[in-house]
Amino acid sequence: MPLVRISRRDALLGGLAALAAPVIPARPALAALPALTFDELYGSVGVLGLTFSDKVKQLAGKAVTMRGFMAPPLKAEAAFFVLTEIPMSLCPFCSSDADWPDNIIVVYLGEKQTFVQPNAVIEVKGILEYGSWTDPETGFVSLLRLRDASFGLV
């Protein structure tokens, strides 16, 4: 193989040409969605009821992630399920917001997904909503919801 000689002038010109080439900035990494835990949902739990935490109020209307367990859905084709802090064999449906447990959140799916076993940890991503709301189709009352949500096994 023949030896190739490069003069200092050629090396300098090549280096200057490389410096003059347009710099394409690296694509910024997608920021991780804020995570919300069950311990962060309420500021206080007392005889007068539940008060939402400052974090919930700040994240309302924004996409968040939560981890928990899927309570068994009402029916196989349901467009929503209840995310719970601990595995449950029965779905904790409420008749009023006074009955609302402090360790669940309703998840309304953006599109149909196959439900998982209630003992599998899942991560849910969705838009956080808070405040009492009654689902017009089911009559289910919720204080906290994730809308346009999706989930996956952890």
Side-chain angles (χ1 to χ4, degrees), residues 66-146:
M66 285 191 76
R67 286 189 177 186
F69 299 89
M70 180 184 291
L74 274 174
K75 54 186 178 180
E77 315 83 49
F80 76 96
F81 66 90
V82 175
L83 185 71
T84 63
E85 184 177 23
I86 58 174
M88 295 189 165
S89 58
L90 300 172
C91 191
F93 292 104
C94 306
S95 58
S96 75
D97 48 3
D99 298 333
W100 186 258
D102 65 352
N103 62 351
I104 68 172
I105 184 167
V106 180
V107 177
Y108 287 93
L109 299 171
E111 57 187 51
K112 288 185 179 180
Q113 286 187 253
T114 304
F115 294 123
V116 299
Q117 294 297 318
N119 62 347
V121 178
I122 60 173
E123 181 172 83
V124 180
K125 297 175 186 174
I127 308 299
L128 179 64
E129 290 182 355
Y130 74 96
S132 184
W133 184 76
T134 304
D135 186 312
E137 288 183 37
T138 64
F140 186 70
V141 177
S142 63
L143 283 181
L144 286 164
R145 294 159 300 283
L146 291 177

Side-chain angles (χ1 to χ4, degrees), residues 44-65:
S44 66
V45 179
V47 292
L48 298 177
L50 303 168
T51 59
F52 298 105
S53 70
D54 290 338
K55 186 170 184 178
V56 164
K57 293 173 185 176
Q58 291 167 355
L59 292 174
K62 297 178 181 163
V64 299
T65 63

